Amino acid sequence: MSILLVCLILFLLVIGVPVGFALWLSGLAFVLATGATSLTQVAQSIYSSLDSFVLLAVPFFILAGNIMLRSGFAKHLFAFMQSLVGGVPGGASIGATGASAIFGAMTGSSVASAAALGRTMIPTMEALGYPRRYTAGLMAAGGTLGILIPPSVAMVIFAELSQQSVKSLFLAGVVPGLISATAIGIVAFTIAFRHGYGTRTEAFSPHAVWQTFVKAGPALGMPAIVLGGIYLGYTTPTEAAALSVVYGLFIGMFVYRSIGISDLPQIFLDSARGTGSILFILSGALFIGMLATLVGIPQSIVELITAYNLSPIGFLLLANVMLIALGCFLDGFTLLTVVAPLLLPTVAALGIHPIHFAIVLVLNIEIAAVTPPIGLNLFVITGISGTSMKDVAIGVAPFVAALVAVLLLLTFTPYLSLLLL
């Protein structure tokens, strides 16, 4: 029966049925065909799982991300980072990476980060002598930092699926996020230096740094307020998410004045659509997870791993290979909500720390966002940059290699993920 359920899901995904509908249609067909449980029990179980204070953070973070997308935060952040390193040939690539990391700490979303930063940085860096293919690849890779550097929507979802602390997951993402940003920055600067990109520079100016810092200051305050409130114990993650919405609206409407009352309906509508899509997929994933448990899929995986006597590291390496392969054809959110719950019992059986597994999983989701043919960031940057998907995929390839190297580093060194816990 378990093979029937898996094959049905894969068939619907392959023929192009949207993920949420594929999960629900597969689950309902399976229940009606096998009588594994009752539809009443399904409704009660899904409702109780989604009736969660933690999950309230998701719509707030999505709304905050859309507000910042419209408010011009990215433009001011890049200008500030550019003033710090723009005097160095190739330095704008470091500035772009730094802006990606900071913006990722505001939005919690890979796609939102790539979209906001790409619109600002691609034309600006092209004017400074950086080829569009290179900049498009850098922006696609930089956008992935939004789902690792806290706050992160992906980590909120994982917390609900695994019953882990959101605060602990956010803390665990800090060091790996900085390592990933450093790796992307080093690769970006190395390529730019070797090929002579960005030779048109302006001399370093303390005055320019101060001017751009003053303009970027309100944007820089966002992660400080949100994450500071969580880590210092003043707010829960959900309360911090709501605070980020209020702060973002205030800055966008009264400081930068880039958002007006007339913009709010569209911002709220886009956020509602994004939230509805995520929660619909999550509900389908919870449904499939319940059925998978009933038919013994997690137990079968545990028995298979036990039979081959895999070590914790061996299992994580095998999981990485599987997740990277699946990430070429499934989006990261599907990996998070469908595949991860099936692996969690094995993680527990092998004594792997669930927080360490979460970081490894999120890094795989990062890689999935920039690997063709389904990488969402590739589609976003292709539309923004006006280049072809092939050019973006070629441009992002060195950064994918950097992310894989970081994945291996963090797989073998759980200490880096658990350092701040």
Side-chain angles (χ1 to χ4, degrees):
M1 288 198 299
S2 60
I3 295 177
L4 172 64
L5 179 61
V6 173
C7 289
L8 187 54
I9 295 171
L10 291 177
F11 171 73
L12 292 177
L13 290 174
V14 166
I15 65 174
V17 176
V19 176
F21 289 100
L23 296 176
W24 271 102
L25 288 173
S26 300
L28 289 173
F30 185 82
V31 169
L32 293 174
T34 64
T37 186
S38 68
L39 296 180
T40 301
Q41 181 60 39
V42 169
Q44 291 174 340
S45 177
I46 300 304
Y47 176 81
S48 62
S49 297
L50 292 177
D51 184 21
S52 166
F53 182 70
V54 170
L55 285 181
L56 276 177
V58 173
F60 283 127
F61 279 131
I62 291 174
L63 178 55
N66 281 327
I67 290 169
M68 287 178 278
L69 192 63
R70 301 287 186 91
S71 298
F73 280 39
K75 176 179 67 176
H76 297 296
L77 284 172
F78 181 51
F80 172 59
M81 296 302 297
Q82 174 70 0
S83 71
L84 292 174
V85 296
V88 179
S93 56
I94 299 176
T97 306
S100 297
I102 296 172
F103 199 79
M106 298 179 185
T107 62
S109 166
S110 173
V111 171
S113 295
L117 294 166
R119 287 192 182 99
T120 298
M121 296 185 192
I122 290 175
T124 302
M125 292 183 69
E126 187 174 27
L128 293 172
Y130 294 85
R132 183 158 288 212
R133 174 190 286 182
Y134 163 83
T135 310
L138 174 58
M139 289 299 94
T144 65
L145 298 173
I147 54 176
L148 181 58
I149 296 176
S152 163
V153 172
M155 289 188 179
V156 173
I157 300 296
F158 183 87
E160 184 62 23
L161 291 172
S162 62
Q163 298 302 301
Q164 296 297 313
S165 162
V166 175
K167 179 180 177 181
S168 296
L169 286 164
F170 281 3
L171 280 170
V174 173
V175 173
L178 293 175
I179 292 173
S180 296
T182 301
I184 292 172
I186 290 172
V187 170
F189 180 74
T190 301
I191 294 173
F193 185 78
R194 287 183 59 190
H195 294 278
Y197 299 158
T199 53
R200 281 171 267 172
T201 63
E202 296 181 4
F204 176 80
S205 167
H207 179 67
V209 171
W210 174 249
Q211 280 191 321
T212 55
F213 173 74
V214 169
K215 290 183 179 180
L220 291 169
M222 171 74 86
I225 290 173
V226 173
L227 297 179
I230 295 173
Y231 297 153
L232 295 176
Y234 294 121
T235 64
T236 66
T238 301
E239 291 166 346
L243 180 62
S244 70
V245 172
V246 175
Y247 182 83
L249 279 174
F250 176 78
I251 298 301
M253 296 180 72
F254 300 108
V255 178
Y256 293 150
R257 298 185 179 180
S258 51
I259 294 180
I261 296 294
S262 60
D263 297 315
L264 296 182
Q266 189 60 49
I267 291 174
F268 289 135
L269 181 61
D270 290 344
S271 301
R273 286 171 174 164
T275 300
S277 175
I278 287 177
L279 293 183
F280 182 59
I281 294 173
L282 178 59
S283 68
L286 292 169
F287 182 19
I288 295 300
M290 180 181 73
L291 295 179
T293 301
L294 288 174
V295 300
I297 292 178
Q299 295 87 339
S300 299
I301 295 174
V302 172
E303 291 172 3
L304 182 63
I305 297 298
T306 303
Y308 282 95
N309 198 29
L310 282 179
S311 65
I313 292 296
F315 167 75
L316 288 176
L317 290 174
L318 180 62
N320 285 336
V321 172
M322 179 185 71
L323 289 168
I324 289 174
L326 289 174
C328 293
F329 305 99
L330 302 175
D331 65 274
F333 193 70
T334 304
L335 294 181
L336 172 64
T337 55
V338 178
V339 179
L342 300 179
L343 299 180
L344 282 170
T346 308
V347 169
L350 292 175
I352 299 169
H353 200 296
I355 302 292
H356 177 219
F357 175 70
I359 298 301
V360 171
L361 174 63
V362 172
L363 277 164
N364 276 286
I365 294 173
E366 278 191 293
I367 294 170
V370 287
T371 48
I374 306 296
L376 292 182
N377 283 19
L378 302 183
F379 287 101
V380 170
I381 295 298
T382 297
I384 290 171
S385 66
T387 59
S388 66
M389 174 70 80
K390 177 182 177 182
D391 281 342
V392 179
I394 293 172
V396 83
F399 303 107
V400 173
L403 290 173
V404 171
V406 173
L407 172 63
L408 291 174
L409 172 65
L410 292 170
T411 298
F412 282 99
T413 53
Y415 171 77
L416 294 174
S417 301
L418 308 176
L419 181 62
L420 300 181
L421 300 188

PDB file of all heavy atoms in Angstrom, residues 252-267:
ATOM      1  N   GLY A 252       8.281  51.973   5.607  1.00  0.00           N
ATOM      2  CA  GLY A 252       7.919  52.129   4.201  1.00  0.00           C
ATOM      3  C   GLY A 252       7.015  53.326   3.939  1.00  0.00           C
ATOM      4  O   GLY A 252       7.137  53.992   2.908  1.00  0.00           O
ATOM      5  N   MET A 253       6.110  53.619   4.892  1.00  0.00           N
ATOM      6  CA  MET A 253       5.129  54.671   4.667  1.00  0.00           C
ATOM      7  C   MET A 253       5.593  56.043   5.150  1.00  0.00           C
ATOM      8  O   MET A 253       5.270  57.064   4.527  1.00  0.00           O
ATOM      9  CB  MET A 253       3.805  54.301   5.352  1.00  0.00           C
ATOM     10  CG  MET A 253       3.138  53.063   4.781  1.00  0.00           C
ATOM     11  SD  MET A 253       1.572  52.642   5.588  1.00  0.00           S
ATOM     12  CE  MET A 253       0.516  53.946   4.957  1.00  0.00           C
ATOM     13  N   PHE A 254       6.365  56.075   6.238  1.00  0.00           N
ATOM     14  CA  PHE A 254       6.665  57.368   6.854  1.00  0.00           C
ATOM     15  C   PHE A 254       8.147  57.766   6.821  1.00  0.00           C
ATOM     16  O   PHE A 254       8.465  58.932   7.016  1.00  0.00           O
ATOM     17  CB  PHE A 254       6.183  57.372   8.308  1.00  0.00           C
ATOM     18  CG  PHE A 254       4.713  57.137   8.452  1.00  0.00           C
ATOM     19  CD1 PHE A 254       4.235  55.938   8.938  1.00  0.00           C
ATOM     20  CD2 PHE A 254       3.804  58.105   8.067  1.00  0.00           C
ATOM     21  CE1 PHE A 254       2.874  55.702   9.053  1.00  0.00           C
ATOM     22  CE2 PHE A 254       2.437  57.885   8.176  1.00  0.00           C
ATOM     23  CZ  PHE A 254       1.968  56.681   8.670  1.00  0.00           C
ATOM     24  N   VAL A 255       9.042  56.790   6.595  1.00  0.00           N
ATOM     25  CA  VAL A 255      10.468  57.115   6.521  1.00  0.00           C
ATOM     26  C   VAL A 255      10.911  57.164   5.058  1.00  0.00           C
ATOM     27  O   VAL A 255      11.351  58.196   4.555  1.00  0.00           O
ATOM     28  CB  VAL A 255      11.317  56.110   7.328  1.00  0.00           C
ATOM     29  CG1 VAL A 255      12.804  56.451   7.196  1.00  0.00           C
ATOM     30  CG2 VAL A 255      10.901  56.139   8.799  1.00  0.00           C
ATOM     31  N   TYR A 256      10.792  56.011   4.344  1.00  0.00           N
ATOM     32  CA  TYR A 256      11.168  55.990   2.932  1.00  0.00           C
ATOM     33  C   TYR A 256      10.058  56.557   2.039  1.00  0.00           C
ATOM     34  O   TYR A 256      10.319  56.966   0.907  1.00  0.00           O
ATOM     35  CB  TYR A 256      11.498  54.565   2.491  1.00  0.00           C
ATOM     36  CG  TYR A 256      12.750  54.001   3.125  1.00  0.00           C
ATOM     37  CD1 TYR A 256      12.880  52.638   3.362  1.00  0.00           C
ATOM     38  CD2 TYR A 256      13.815  54.827   3.476  1.00  0.00           C
ATOM     39  CE1 TYR A 256      14.032  52.115   3.925  1.00  0.00           C
ATOM     40  CE2 TYR A 256      14.961  54.311   4.048  1.00  0.00           C
ATOM     41  CZ  TYR A 256      15.066  52.953   4.267  1.00  0.00           C
ATOM     42  OH  TYR A 256      16.214  52.435   4.830  1.00  0.00           O
ATOM     43  N   ARG A 257       8.832  56.521   2.545  1.00  0.00           N
ATOM     44  CA  ARG A 257       7.673  57.036   1.807  1.00  0.00           C
ATOM     45  C   ARG A 257       7.542  56.407   0.419  1.00  0.00           C
ATOM     46  O   ARG A 257       7.199  57.079  -0.563  1.00  0.00           O
ATOM     47  CB  ARG A 257       7.740  58.564   1.696  1.00  0.00           C
ATOM     48  CG  ARG A 257       7.700  59.258   3.050  1.00  0.00           C
ATOM     49  CD  ARG A 257       7.656  60.752   2.923  1.00  0.00           C
ATOM     50  NE  ARG A 257       7.594  61.379   4.240  1.00  0.00           N
ATOM     51  CZ  ARG A 257       7.536  62.696   4.437  1.00  0.00           C
ATOM     52  NH1 ARG A 257       7.548  63.520   3.387  1.00  0.00           N
ATOM     53  NH2 ARG A 257       7.484  63.193   5.656  1.00  0.00           N
ATOM     54  N   SER A 258       7.850  55.139   0.356  1.00  0.00           N
ATOM     55  CA  SER A 258       7.758  54.403  -0.904  1.00  0.00           C
ATOM     56  C   SER A 258       6.481  53.568  -0.986  1.00  0.00           C
ATOM     57  O   SER A 258       6.200  52.948  -2.017  1.00  0.00           O
ATOM     58  CB  SER A 258       8.980  53.486  -1.060  1.00  0.00           C
ATOM     59  OG  SER A 258       9.166  52.701   0.104  1.00  0.00           O
ATOM     60  N   ILE A 259       5.717  53.528   0.098  1.00  0.00           N
ATOM     61  CA  ILE A 259       4.438  52.815   0.128  1.00  0.00           C
ATOM     62  C   ILE A 259       3.347  53.814   0.502  1.00  0.00           C
ATOM     63  O   ILE A 259       3.514  54.584   1.464  1.00  0.00           O
ATOM     64  CB  ILE A 259       4.455  51.662   1.148  1.00  0.00           C
ATOM     65  CG1 ILE A 259       5.443  50.581   0.735  1.00  0.00           C
ATOM     66  CG2 ILE A 259       3.063  51.043   1.277  1.00  0.00           C
ATOM     67  CD1 ILE A 259       5.503  49.430   1.704  1.00  0.00           C
ATOM     68  N   GLY A 260       2.251  53.778  -0.229  1.00  0.00           N
ATOM     69  CA  GLY A 260       1.105  54.606   0.091  1.00  0.00           C
ATOM     70  C   GLY A 260      -0.084  53.747   0.478  1.00  0.00           C
ATOM     71  O   GLY A 260      -0.050  52.517   0.347  1.00  0.00           O
ATOM     72  N   ILE A 261      -1.123  54.391   0.946  1.00  0.00           N
ATOM     73  CA  ILE A 261      -2.334  53.665   1.321  1.00  0.00           C
ATOM     74  C   ILE A 261      -2.858  52.848   0.150  1.00  0.00           C
ATOM     75  O   ILE A 261      -3.346  51.725   0.308  1.00  0.00           O
ATOM     76  CB  ILE A 261      -3.420  54.652   1.808  1.00  0.00           C
ATOM     77  CG1 ILE A 261      -2.963  55.372   3.090  1.00  0.00           C
ATOM     78  CG2 ILE A 261      -4.735  53.917   2.058  1.00  0.00           C
ATOM     79  CD1 ILE A 261      -2.806  54.471   4.276  1.00  0.00           C
ATOM     80  N   SER A 262      -2.741  53.393  -1.056  1.00  0.00           N
ATOM     81  CA  SER A 262      -3.263  52.702  -2.239  1.00  0.00           C
ATOM     82  C   SER A 262      -2.506  51.413  -2.551  1.00  0.00           C
ATOM     83  O   SER A 262      -3.017  50.544  -3.267  1.00  0.00           O
ATOM     84  CB  SER A 262      -3.201  53.633  -3.455  1.00  0.00           C
ATOM     85  OG  SER A 262      -1.857  54.029  -3.715  1.00  0.00           O
ATOM     86  N   ASP A 263      -1.280  51.275  -2.028  1.00  0.00           N
ATOM     87  CA  ASP A 263      -0.486  50.065  -2.275  1.00  0.00           C
ATOM     88  C   ASP A 263      -0.868  48.917  -1.341  1.00  0.00           C
ATOM     89  O   ASP A 263      -0.560  47.753  -1.628  1.00  0.00           O
ATOM     90  CB  ASP A 263       1.008  50.359  -2.094  1.00  0.00           C
ATOM     91  CG  ASP A 263       1.523  51.375  -3.087  1.00  0.00           C
ATOM     92  OD1 ASP A 263       1.192  51.259  -4.273  1.00  0.00           O
ATOM     93  OD2 ASP A 263       2.256  52.294  -2.671  1.00  0.00           O
ATOM     94  N   LEU A 264      -1.489  49.231  -0.229  1.00  0.00           N
ATOM     95  CA  LEU A 264      -1.727  48.217   0.803  1.00  0.00           C
ATOM     96  C   LEU A 264      -2.654  47.082   0.353  1.00  0.00           C
ATOM     97  O   LEU A 264      -2.361  45.915   0.653  1.00  0.00           O
ATOM     98  CB  LEU A 264      -2.273  48.868   2.070  1.00  0.00           C
ATOM     99  CG  LEU A 264      -1.321  49.852   2.773  1.00  0.00           C
ATOM    100  CD1 LEU A 264      -1.958  50.384   4.053  1.00  0.00           C
ATOM    101  CD2 LEU A 264       0.006  49.165   3.104  1.00  0.00           C
ATOM    102  N   PRO A 265      -3.767  47.368  -0.353  1.00  0.00           N
ATOM    103  CA  PRO A 265      -4.624  46.240  -0.764  1.00  0.00           C
ATOM    104  C   PRO A 265      -3.881  45.183  -1.572  1.00  0.00           C
ATOM    105  O   PRO A 265      -4.060  43.981  -1.344  1.00  0.00           O
ATOM    106  CB  PRO A 265      -5.724  46.924  -1.591  1.00  0.00           C
ATOM    107  CG  PRO A 265      -5.804  48.300  -1.030  1.00  0.00           C
ATOM    108  CD  PRO A 265      -4.386  48.660  -0.709  1.00  0.00           C
ATOM    109  N   GLN A 266      -3.027  45.605  -2.518  1.00  0.00           N
ATOM    110  CA  GLN A 266      -2.295  44.644  -3.330  1.00  0.00           C
ATOM    111  C   GLN A 266      -1.271  43.882  -2.494  1.00  0.00           C
ATOM    112  O   GLN A 266      -1.074  42.669  -2.680  1.00  0.00           O
ATOM    113  CB  GLN A 266      -1.593  45.343  -4.488  1.00  0.00           C
ATOM    114  CG  GLN A 266      -0.990  44.394  -5.519  1.00  0.00           C
ATOM    115  CD  GLN A 266      -2.026  43.505  -6.173  1.00  0.00           C
ATOM    116  OE1 GLN A 266      -3.064  43.986  -6.629  1.00  0.00           O
ATOM    117  NE2 GLN A 266      -1.765  42.199  -6.217  1.00  0.00           N
ATOM    118  N   ILE A 267      -0.612  44.576  -1.566  1.00  0.00           N
ATOM    119  CA  ILE A 267       0.354  43.911  -0.678  1.00  0.00           C
ATOM    120  C   ILE A 267      -0.343  42.855   0.162  1.00  0.00           C
ATOM    121  O   ILE A 267       0.135  41.715   0.290  1.00  0.00           O
ATOM    122  CB  ILE A 267       1.058  44.947   0.220  1.00  0.00           C
ATOM    123  CG1 ILE A 267       1.984  45.841  -0.604  1.00  0.00           C
ATOM    124  CG2 ILE A 267       1.853  44.251   1.324  1.00  0.00           C
ATOM    125  CD1 ILE A 267       2.610  46.972   0.186  1.00  0.00           C
TER     126      ILE A 267
END
